Amino acid sequence: MRVDLASLGTFNRIGTAGANKAAEALSMLSGLETSVERTKINFTPVDSVEALFADVEQAVAIEFDGALEGQALLVFDEESASSVLEALANGDSDPDSAYLNEVANIMTSSFVDGWAEQLEETIDISTPTAVEDPEHRVPTAELTDFSFVFESDVGFGSDGHECRFYLLPDPTSFLEMLQESGEESADGDVSIRELSTFIQLTAAGAETVATNLETMTGIETDVAVTHLDFVPITDVTGAVDDGEYVGTVFEFDGTIDGYLAVMFEAAGASTVADAVLPEGANSEAMQQSAIEELGNVTASGFIDGWANALDTTIDHSVPDFVDDMGRAVLQSIAVQLAREQEFAYVFDVAITATEPMTCRLFAFPDAEGFRTVVSGLDEDLDVTSVERV
Amino acid sequence: MAGSEPHRIRVGVADMAVTDNGANLVTSGLGSCVAVGLHDQNGNGGLLHAMLPKAPTDAVDQAKYVDSGLEAMKDELSQLGANTRSLTAKIAGGSKMLDLGGDDPVGMKNVRAAEAALERAGIDVEGADTGGDTGRSVSFRPETGTMRIEQVDADPLKL
């Protein structure tokens, strides 16, 4: 099966319109100010889907059927759930958590209305139910090793609370819909198998990066999340919180051009730098040098996987050190991409460790190069056989 | 933007908001983007967070660009009842955090585009904190025209 990647833009716009309706519905219901922080389409390897929902504390599921099949999940952390419940209960000190079902109901209904309008068909939704195992509710498909997940982050109130709204379409019927909506031109076509292989290849690259970090620092690491997001260029910054990050940014060019950011949450940056440096060598300059070296090794390990799989070379620049607001760093990259494209493909990797340290790696291939590279892949490639640094 | 809590309105990337009810307009993570706050002497005002200097002819998202975003914000302020002849401006952002974009980085192009658009519109710039190599978060209070700018490792700045 082949799909037109350009048609993803249309679906993202439908998703954004749906999310805005859902946010307005939440605002009407609760009286809270709401805003859609971002909407993205997430391609997640099936074996990584669980990680998307790893920190979920409250979730409500609704199934839908008709023009679009699948299910919606509305998830909250405890504080955000309490905040919206209090608003709904009008000051009641012990609000009924079943109110969340009503929130999910009205938000899902508003969200799918946008899809139904666009598809000019009806979509029916089920009664909402609270779920404790959202990670096990993601549908899988025979056609692919990844799932499509539409994610909208909706902020509400003035204390930074948010909920996440996931739309999990049945992958097979969604792929058929994508195929039908594609334009006649085959310029943007890729095969689903090729795309799946590329995502698996990148996931394997993330594992290599984690292993390299572990070797250099002696800190045991684990890849927590790897996924490919298709996201409006204006929403790229939402991938990180508004905290401070320390790391490096690279520009790469070759068969595929783009940018790579390797960023540590500020609190953990000194932990990894100290782990690399000899005891007592902890000047600011040395710490920066250690972070740059970690970035270099990470960038090489990640990008070489792509280059070797394609039997080509992809060069990357010297590291550009950053110690600043993570969102401002990602925004500066997004602005470069925004000159040429409306949406970005973003590989988002989170590496966690036994020590309190989180490393975020973001790769931003240019859209044209991405299509070329995906199309050029051997769809039967054994990703474990690809050599990396 | 929707809702009933008037005290704080978040402005996203390629986004803008106007208010006449005393709300603070906030935007975070400004890198090479530029934020422009406009206000009149009656407390009406708006904040734009634009990514690129000049809109293409087929631009859909006006707030993404400095020139079309400022025009759109001025129109919205006019519809809100603002005295557009007495508008003044504050500008922040346009930094060069990364070694990208060669000798003419997008950040400074954004700042120049904002200054030029404001001059064309006859709007005085009363304060600016632009350029440099750090990120910024901005809070703009239309009631007073005060723009507060926060950076990592620096005291907040008030314009």
Side-chain angles (χ1 to χ4, degrees):
Chain A
M1 180 180 281
R2 299 186 73 79
V3 294
D4 177 9
L5 287 176
S7 64
L8 288 174
T10 305
F11 282 96
N12 197 297
R13 286 186 202 99
I14 298 172
T16 301
N20 282 322
K21 285 190 170 189
E24 283 168 19
L26 175 60
S27 182
M28 292 281 285
L29 190 68
S30 65
L32 295 166
E33 180 197 328
T34 61
S35 61
V36 178
E37 308 290 328
R38 63 174 178 159
T39 292
K40 63 182 185 177
I41 303 175
N42 196 322
F43 311 81
T44 303
V46 167
D47 53 9
S48 294
V49 168
E50 281 189 29
L52 277 182
F53 301 101
D55 299 325
V56 168
E57 292 171 343
Q58 298 257 14
V60 180
I62 291 183
E63 293 181 2
F64 51 87
D65 201 359
L68 191 67
E69 296 171 24
Q71 61 184 315
L73 278 170
L74 181 67
V75 306
F76 295 86
D77 60 35
E78 291 288 358
E79 277 189 20
S80 295
S82 298
S83 166
V84 77
L85 284 172
E86 280 169 22
L88 286 170
N90 233 347
D92 184 346
S93 59
D94 188 21
D96 186 345
S97 63
Y99 284 152
L100 283 186
N101 290 7
E102 184 52 30
V103 173
N105 194 31
I106 198 159
M107 287 183 75
T108 306
S109 170
S110 303
F111 193 93
V112 299
D113 273 355
W115 286 79
E117 276 173 26
Q118 184 71 26
L119 300 169
E120 296 178 341
E121 290 185 61
T122 55
I123 300 172
D124 301 317
I125 66 172
S126 72
T127 307
T129 49
V131 292
E132 292 178 353
D133 59 344
E135 69 274 24
H136 296 132
R137 300 180 68 88
V138 179
T140 57
E142 293 168 4
L143 283 169
T144 168
D145 294 324
F146 64 90
S147 290
F148 290 95
V149 181
F150 286 78
E151 179 185 331
S152 300
D153 300 348
V154 178
F156 56 84
S158 55
D159 297 321
H161 294 305
E162 68 168 23
C163 58
R164 278 174 288 151
F165 187 87
Y166 292 98
L167 191 76
L168 309 162
D170 167 66
T172 305
S173 59
F174 183 71
L175 280 171
E176 286 167 0
M177 191 189 290
L178 259 184
Q179 195 179 30
E180 285 167 14
S181 69
E183 293 170 13
E184 290 296 314
S185 158
D187 287 353
D189 268 15
V190 296
S191 98
I192 284 299
R193 286 284 305 267
E194 290 163 351
L195 186 56
S196 188
T197 301
F198 194 66
I199 292 170
Q200 295 296 335
L201 175 69
T202 304
E207 293 289 346
T208 304
V209 165
T211 305
N212 289 347
L213 270 179
E214 190 168 312
T215 305
M216 289 181 76
T217 61
I219 300 171
E220 195 178 326
T221 60
D222 188 26
V223 176
V225 186
T226 304
H227 49 84
L228 168 62
D229 297 331
F230 181 75
V231 58
I233 208 87
T234 52
D235 290 355
V236 162
T237 57
V240 292
D241 58 31
D242 55 6
E244 180 183 348
Y245 286 77
V246 180
T248 41
V249 175
F250 300 85
E251 195 167 356
F252 57 86
D253 67 279
T255 307
I256 186 167
D257 299 342
Y259 305 94
L260 185 86
V262 183
M263 308 202 298
F264 298 91
E265 288 176 359
S270 55
T271 304
V272 286
D274 289 345
V276 174
L277 293 168
E279 201 167 328
N282 56 2
S283 70
E284 205 170 299
M286 283 178 160
Q287 293 228 341
Q288 177 172 332
S289 172
I291 293 292
E292 286 173 345
E293 185 52 23
L294 283 165
N296 254 329
V297 172
T298 301
S300 297
F302 197 77
I303 292 171
D304 285 357
W306 288 350
N308 292 339
L310 294 158
D311 196 21
T312 185
T313 51
I314 303 172
D315 298 321
H316 67 76
S317 66
V318 294
D320 201 345
F321 180 78
V322 289
D323 178 357
D324 213 310
M325 300 168 181
R327 286 186 175 170
V329 175
L330 294 189
Q331 188 197 79
S332 294
I333 295 171
V335 164
Q336 293 298 119
L337 292 167
R339 297 176 303 169
E340 304 290 338
Q341 55 196 69
E342 191 183 347
F343 291 91
Y345 296 94
V346 186
F347 284 98
D348 181 347
V349 180
I351 298 169
T352 55
T354 47
E355 301 280 332
M357 179 281 282
T358 299
C359 173
R360 299 292 298 273
L361 184 152
F362 299 98
F364 302 86
D366 72 294
E368 192 54 45
F370 178 78
R371 278 192 284 272
T372 305
V373 163
V374 171
S375 302
L377 266 185
D378 173 3
E379 62 182 32
D380 294 320
L381 176 75
D382 174 7
V383 298
T384 60
S385 69
V386 175
E387 282 185 31
R388 292 182 176 82
V389 176
Chain B
M1 297 288 165
S4 63
E5 291 189 359
H7 58 283
R8 184 172 174 269
I9 298 174
R10 275 196 65 177
V11 177
V13 180
D15 190 14
M16 67 177 167
V18 295
T19 182
D20 60 356
N21 66 6
N24 270 351
L25 307 174
V26 298
T27 195
S28 67
L30 274 174
S32 42
C33 287
V34 69
V36 182
L38 297 181
H39 93 122
D40 70 5
Q41 76 274 38
N42 300 320
N44 302 298
L47 184 68
L48 168 74
H49 181 153
M51 290 185 95
L52 293 169
K54 188 171 168 48
T57 51
D58 58 348
V60 177
D61 193 352
Q62 290 180 306
K64 186 172 175 181
Y65 306 94
V66 174
D67 57 352
S68 56
L70 279 172
E71 266 187 46
M73 189 159 72
K74 197 179 159 200
D75 287 346
E76 285 201 14
L77 283 168
S78 176
Q79 286 169 25
L80 198 67
N83 179 355
T84 53
R85 288 186 186 175
S86 75
L87 288 174
T88 57
K90 303 260 169 91
I91 310 176
S95 75
K96 186 178 190 297
M97 298 181 69
L98 305 169
D99 192 18
L100 304 173
D103 294 333
D104 196 12
V106 178
M108 283 319 294
K109 285 183 185 171
N110 281 334
V111 173
R112 287 200 300 270
E115 290 168 344
L118 291 166
E119 189 177 346
R120 279 196 304 274
I123 298 172
D124 289 339
V125 178
E126 291 200 328
D129 178 40
T130 59
D133 58 4
T134 61
R136 296 173 173 90
S137 286
V138 165
S139 174
F140 184 62
R141 192 168 179 205
E143 268 193 338
T144 58
T146 306
M147 182 175 273
R148 178 185 158 94
I149 299 155
E150 291 186 23
Q151 294 170 272
V152 167
D153 294 334
D155 291 331
L157 175 71
K158 267 190 183 176
L159 295 178

